[in-house]
Each structure stands twice: as C-alpha cells, then as structure tokens.
Amino acid sequence: MEERISVNNVSKGFGEGEARVDVLDGVDVRVGRHNFVSLLGPSGCGKSTLFNIISGLMEPTEGEALVDGSDDRLGTCGYMQQKDLLMPWKKIVDNVALGLMVKGTPRSEARRQADDILERFGLGGFGHRYASEISGGMRQRAALARTFLAGDDVLLLDEPFGALDSLTRLQMQSWLLDVWQESAASILFITHDVDEAIRLSDRVYVLSERPARVVLTLEIDLPRPRPYEMVMTREFAEYKAQAIRYLHPDEPALIDEEVIPDA
Amino acid sequence: MPEWLKKTLPPLIFGLALILGWELLTIITDADPRIYPAPSEVLSALFSNLSEVFRNAKITTLEMVLGFIFGATIGISLGIILAYSRIFRSAVYPWLIVSQTIPIPAIAAVLVIWFGFSIVPKVLVVVMIAFFPIAVSTVDGLKAVDPEMVQLMRTFGASKARIFREVRIPVALPYIFTGAKVAAAFSVLGAVFGEWVGAKGGLGYLLLLKNRAVNTDEVFAIILALSILGVGFFGLIVLIERLTIPWYHKARQLEGVQ
C-alpha cells in the first residue's frame, strides 16, 4: 500500500435537523510514504475535526478514512494537538515513552527509546525533569518526540508551532524538516500560515471556510533542503500567490492572472 | 535569612506574644488560677499529668486514625462511583448533603446504645465526619481532567482502565489530598464527640472528667494535647501528600503559589 493516509470523500456534521452544523464537505486527502503534506485553511474551518477522524477519535458521517489501508485507526497515528498535553505528574522521559508503553513496550525499552529521541531532539539531560521545569519551546519538542515515538511513522501535527513567537517558529520549522528528513515519518500538518505550509510540504491542500472542501491542491516542487531564504524566490512566490488567491477569493488580485492555473 | 525561617518565624512570634499576653493578663488581674489558669500553670499541669495524658492520647489517636482510614476509603470509593454513575449521583448526592446537616453528637448518642462503650462508636463518628470532604473532593478531582488528555490516551489505543489509572487518578490526587487534610483536621473533633457520649478512656473522656472536677488548668492541658494531636495528624497528611505528588508542589512553587 503506497498511501499511508487516505481520506476519501469524507463529510462530517454535528447535531440533527435544524441544529445540524456541517464541518467537512467531501474532503479528499492523501499522504504517501515519507511525504510531508499540509492542510492550509482559515481558523475554525474544520481541520482539527479531520484530524480527529483520521486518528480514529471520530467516525465520518460519510466517506472513509484509512491509515495504511485499514479502517481500524485508533492507536495507529501519532497525533499532536495544539496544546503540548505533557502530563505534569510524569517526568519528561516518561511522557515521551507513554505512547510506546500503552502499546505494550516494556518500560525499560520504552525509556531507552525515549532517551534516544530526546537526545536527537536536543533535549538530552532534560528527561528527568518535570514538564513545568522546562521552557515552552522545549515542551513543544518533547510533545513532538512523544508523537514520533507513538506514531508508527504516521504523524498528525495540529498547528504545533501556533503558540510560539515567529522567530522561534522559524527555528522550529528548520528543525522539524531536519528531523523529518532523517526519519521515515509521513506527516500531515495543519497550519494557517501560508509560508509555513509551502516551505515544509511536498503537497498543500488549501481548504475553504466551513464546511471545509479542498479548493486547491498544490504540489510543491521546490528542492530540498529548504532554508528559510527560499521564501524570497520567484517559485515560492508563485505558489504563495496561488494559495492566497484561493484562501482569500474576495481580495482584489495583484498578481498576473496567468500565474493561477484552473482550479 | 533562610527561607524556612522566614516562614516559621512570624507565626512563632505571634503565638508567643499571645501566650505572653495571656500570662501577663492573669498576673495583672490577679485571676483565680483555678478558674483562669496562666499558660505556665497549664504547662506544668500537662507535665505533671504526662503519663495519664499520654495513655489517653493513645486511645484517641487510635480512634482518629482508624476512623480516618475507613472514612477515606469510603469517601474515595463513593467519590469514584458518584463521578462515574449519573443515576447513582442523582439518587444519592442530595442525601449525602442532608446527612451532613445531622448534628454528630445526636448520632453519637444512638451509636453508644447500639455498640456500647467500645471503640466502635468513636470510630464511626470519625468516619461520618471524615468521609464527606474526601468524597466531594474525589468527585471534583475526577471531573477536572482535561478532555484532550483523555483523547491523547485514546489515540495511543489506551483502555478506559488505563486512562483512569494514568490520567484521571493523578489529576484527582491533589483534590483528594485537599479533602483529606480537611478530614484529618476534623477527625480529632469526631473522636472527642464520640468519647463525650460514653467512654472509659481517651482525651475527650479525660477532659470531661477534669471539667467536672473544675481542674481548669488540666482541662487546658488536655486541650493543648488535643490540638497537638490534630496538628500532628494534619502534618502527617501533608507529608504523605508531598511524598505522593511531588510534581504538584514543584509546579506550584514555580508558579509562585506557595
């Protein structure tokens, strides 16, 4: 099976009758092996609902969501929500090892792997601290480490850098790209930052306002590695122009029409 | 000045000032020492009756500790059932509150009719006082969990039992300890009430005896012993709390709460 995540024509509504709210409207999303794919859309458009469905926390009203071709999804993805959700009663190493331990890895082996990934994530020596004793950026990296270990190489990252200041955010993007390159992970990444989506991804799905539909699929054909300065190249700007055009359809267009392909 | 001294010095000075003021007042007013004993006389009464006080304190301590352990067990179990069963909660919770409006000495008197002068009525009174704050705080604690943390555990494929053990219990523990501290402070009260309606030993029993004999200095000496017992028991629970949930105190210190 080549696709690690495939979301086929998924719709989701909450409530019944008059009170029904449609959140997702026939969404198709695909993430291949070792791909980095982003969902770019306005806040509150239903991106997190899609993640809840892919991770198996929810079932779609219509359509199907498959991870490695299977409908039985709980326990298959590493899902990182916006909050770091580190448990204050566990030391960092035990937080990071938690997913593995729940899945049956013996404690000592799970801890060994957790120490290993903490070292790689620049958190070596912090494993025995409590979450309250480390900084926000470190907490985020620890949460990401936990997600990598728990995720069996399928990772759902819901605006992991949303709460960070823009400088830290850029550093974290570079860092995430490095970590991803060295791993076998397939990543689906939620953001509402256009630059972030294009810089990180192989493919960007641009979503509409609620109920969310995919209004544009951008295959990002930029070389890797991608240093931050790449955002100033012409190719990057063209991708950005297309994304913005579909994100803000009511804004007057400044860019030459021929840049934008048919939807 | 070291941190611990900064914390302990103000209450120490205040306490000593109060005692000194009281001592001076008895001297200035030339009060009858049998009715209004000075702190120095209370202390000497305590030391001259030390073995008697100690013997009775052991009885009261046993009643308190047994009552607290049973009360905490019942309180935590009840709290778990209340938090998880909606039907049980709606049927039982109002009656639980009603039960707290019943004057404890009234019940204690009946318990003596049923169980005689044995240790049982005293322990039961302590149980009745101790279980309630623990049950209420257990319910609050079990409901305080962040739903997203439960979701996180579910994405790992965790069972409900696992989520209960690894998330709900740790979240609830600080709440449960708050209830336990209240219960510990009140369990002295329970033991004394239990002894007042019928006993052959214990500090409450001894207190009644000395009161009837109008040995006021000895009455105060026993009150002093009772409060040492209460503070000691409270302190023990605080110590257990610190050992059980060290992460909670670290986080609070960093936030500057303490």
Side-chain angles (χ1 to χ4, degrees), chain A residues 77-185:
Chain A
C77 308
Y79 182 3
M80 180 172 167
Q81 308 202 19
Q82 287 166 31
K83 283 190 265 178
D84 60 59
L85 296 176
L86 293 173
M87 297 178 183
W89 51 88
K90 287 184 188 291
K91 302 199 163 159
I92 295 298
V93 61
D94 291 320
N95 265 295
V96 173
L98 184 61
L100 283 178
M101 278 170 55
V102 169
K103 289 174 183 182
T105 310
R107 178 186 295 265
S108 57
E109 169 61 15
R111 277 211 178 130
R112 200 192 56 71
Q113 291 191 35
D115 277 332
D116 217 43
I117 198 167
L118 283 171
E119 193 70 47
R120 271 195 288 141
F121 279 27
L123 291 168
F126 289 96
H128 61 280
R129 305 260 186 117
Y130 287 108
S132 59
E133 298 175 294
I134 63 173
S135 72
M138 291 168 108
R139 291 176 63 118
Q140 220 60 20
R141 267 184 285 166
L144 215 53
R146 178 186 60 198
T147 313
F148 264 80
L149 275 196
D152 196 23
D153 292 336
V154 179
L155 310 184
L156 307 173
L157 309 181
D158 188 351
E159 289 192 45
F161 308 142
L164 301 175
D165 65 86
S166 58
L167 286 177
T168 311
R169 191 183 178 118
L170 291 177
Q171 287 167 7
M172 291 292 282
Q173 288 171 5
S174 307
W175 172 80
L176 177 61
L177 282 175
D178 288 346
V179 169
W180 169 68
Q181 292 282 19
E182 287 166 20
S183 75

Side-chain angles (χ1 to χ4, degrees), chain B residues 100-184:
Chain B
Q100 292 306 297
T101 64
I102 299 169
I104 297 292
I107 292 284
V110 180
L111 290 176
V112 171
I113 298 175
W114 291 344
F115 300 104
F117 279 28
S118 71
I119 192 173
V120 179
K122 293 91 179 172
V123 171
L124 283 179
V125 172
V126 177
V127 168
M128 284 193 298
I129 286 182
F131 89 94
F132 185 74
I134 295 178
V136 171
S137 59
T138 304
V139 173
D140 287 348
L142 288 173
K143 287 184 167 183
V145 64
D146 182 347
E148 289 187 18
M149 224 170 242
V150 174
Q151 285 189 352
L152 175 74
M153 289 295 282
R154 286 184 57 213
T155 66
F156 294 153
S159 64
K160 277 198 165 166
R162 183 107 196 197
I163 294 172
F164 182 75
R165 204 171 67 235
E166 299 230 31
V167 180
R168 291 193 193 273
I169 289 287
V171 169
L173 275 177
Y175 290 79
I176 295 174
F177 271 110
T178 303
K181 282 185 271 186
V182 175

Side-chain angles (χ1 to χ4, degrees), chain A residues 219-232:
Chain A
E219 301 290 341
I220 310 291
D221 203 12
L222 295 171
R224 293 185 186 270
R226 296 181 181 168
Y228 181 56
E229 288 183 351
M230 194 175 265
V231 304
M232 292 181 289

Side-chain angles (χ1 to χ4, degrees), chain A residues 9-28:
Chain A
N9 196 27
V10 160
S11 297
K12 179 72 181 174
F14 294 99
E16 295 292 326
E18 291 280 300
R20 186 183 160 90
V21 179
D22 287 309
V23 177
L24 300 173
D25 180 18
V27 173
D28 285 290

